[in-house]
Amino acid sequence: MKRCVQTFDWCFIFVSSVLHMASRLLKISAGVFGAGVFSSSGYYLYHQKIELNDLSIVRFGRAAATTAVISYDYLTAFRNVPYGTENYWEIRSQVHKRSAEKLRDVCCANRGTFIKVGQHLGALDYLLPEEYTSTLKILHSRAPQSSMEEIQQVIREDLGKELEQLFISFEEKPQGAASLAQVHKAVLPDGRTVAVKVQHPKVQAQSSKDIVVMEFLLQVVHWLFPDFAFMWLVEEAKRNMPLELDFLNEGRNAEKVASMLKQFDFLKVPKIHWDLSTKRVLTMDFVEGGQVNDREYMRRHSIDVNEISRNLGKMYSEMIFVNGFVHCDPHPGNVLVRKCPKSNKTEIVLLDHGLYQVLNQDFRMDYCRLWQSLIKGDMKGIERYSRRLGAGDLYPLFACVLTARSWTSVSTGISQTPVTHSEDVEIRTNATLYLPQISELLNRVPRQMLLLLKTNDLLRGIETVLQTRASSSSFLNMSRCCARAIARYKRSKTNSRTRQLQISLSETVTLWQISLYELMLWIRSSVLASWIYSLLSYLPYTH
């Protein structure tokens, strides 16, 4: 019995030793295997020239971490702080600022689609808190830049030739870099100077994945903060990003808007060179000019800021109300001004035609009538057409958002009350106070409205810099376009020649009334009028 036990002990010790050795060998093997996988993965990534920032898991991790930090900040910052107190508003502003900076940083790190969406948010001056818009505006100057090797690769793949075979010269330093592409100045074999817009090589592959990441993270944020409902942002990105990444579509938009607005001799749209254009490369005439918000450039070149503001208003009113085909990215880098080298007339150069909104007829007519009501201060019309456009009971907020004016100004007619600095501050403050309601409103209105709101804010930003926002000329141009658009719509709905004639006569009378009102305003503000008033003041008073 004792011998059997000893034998068992020896067997147990032997088996244990074998198992221990096997375990050590397994650990060593696993370590070697892991090291091998890691080193081979690194070797593969190195030789494939794949950057860590290109990996979806890295981009998602960075965005998720930022979302978590921002959410935690909002969840914890207001503990034991009574709502509405001075301390509450101060802390809220600080949280907005910190969060906006973190959002800006993640957009800069992930680049591409993230920068594009961040730029969109930065343009919503009268819809988002000022801390966000002022911080995210920086993204327009933080766009990524592709290397010359990457640019050559895209051109080689898409045009089938080397740079030297296509151009006499090609400047390595880009004229400008945007979130999706960059533009280089080049010279064709026939001596013509062109601008070559080349898409960043990795944007196409990353954009769809980035949008999925944004959608997931926004849903998480909405779950944490039910009042935060910005899913419209992802919906817009889903719809618009494929269009913006197709440069052939951009070229077609450029030709369409040039033909549509050919009556405006002040508008210049660069000609497209189709033989040197693909989905990722767009070649067009090179046009020099200063940015539309560069007052110093205008002063040096004797360009009248009021004329620029007036013509910009004419152009966009025609696009929105009459044609329903709207260039939706008029940030200063896409709108240049210059003196025409041949005629010396002032011109507006419209660039970047990737993002357009097509307005359907019913929406456009309701939008026309709403603006007519806003200009006149017709409260019944404001409520009726705001509701028809999806605002519901939030129609007062909708009117304020659309015009960037206070409800007092809307009630009296926005053409009757000039914009003041205090009113501007009030609107920006309300963007912070009513963020949940604004968020709900943006989810209610038709998708067509979202890009129009962004366009309105960008145009107002230009007017603010040019100091022409108080001008009544923009309302007069809008009134003309609304009257023409509604008359055209009514004529299309009747076959009666008599009725069509009545509509045309009514349209003519309305346009004459607008012109007479404009003349009256000009006389009132002219030097001649001030001389007459001064002369009358010196005449002896007679009974």
Side-chain angles (χ1 to χ4, degrees), residues 294-306:
D294 189 345
R295 287 177 62 88
E296 179 57 28
Y297 176 90
M298 295 191 209
R299 187 192 63 77
R300 289 199 312 270
H301 292 82
S302 303
I303 294 174
D304 183 0
V305 293
N306 292 300

Side-chain angles (χ1 to χ4, degrees), residues 322-383:
V322 179
N323 295 290
F325 186 68
V326 190
H327 179 282
C328 287
D329 203 9
H331 74 75
N334 291 339
V335 185
L336 306 182
V337 294
R338 69 169 194 166
K339 286 283 188 179
C340 177
K342 294 180 181 178
S343 65
N344 203 38
K345 289 183 178 179
T346 301
E347 290 183 334
I348 294 176
V349 183
L350 197 59
L351 305 174
D352 197 346
H353 300 271
L355 188 59
Y356 271 76
Q357 181 65 277
V358 180
L359 310 179
N360 69 51
Q361 188 168 258
D362 291 340
F363 174 91
R364 187 162 52 88
M365 289 301 104
D366 287 338
Y367 195 62
C368 280
R369 292 185 171 109
L370 174 57
W371 268 105
Q372 284 185 320
S373 301
L374 288 165
I375 290 168
K376 296 174 185 175
D378 174 9
M379 300 308 294
K380 287 184 179 179
I382 291 171
E383 180 177 357

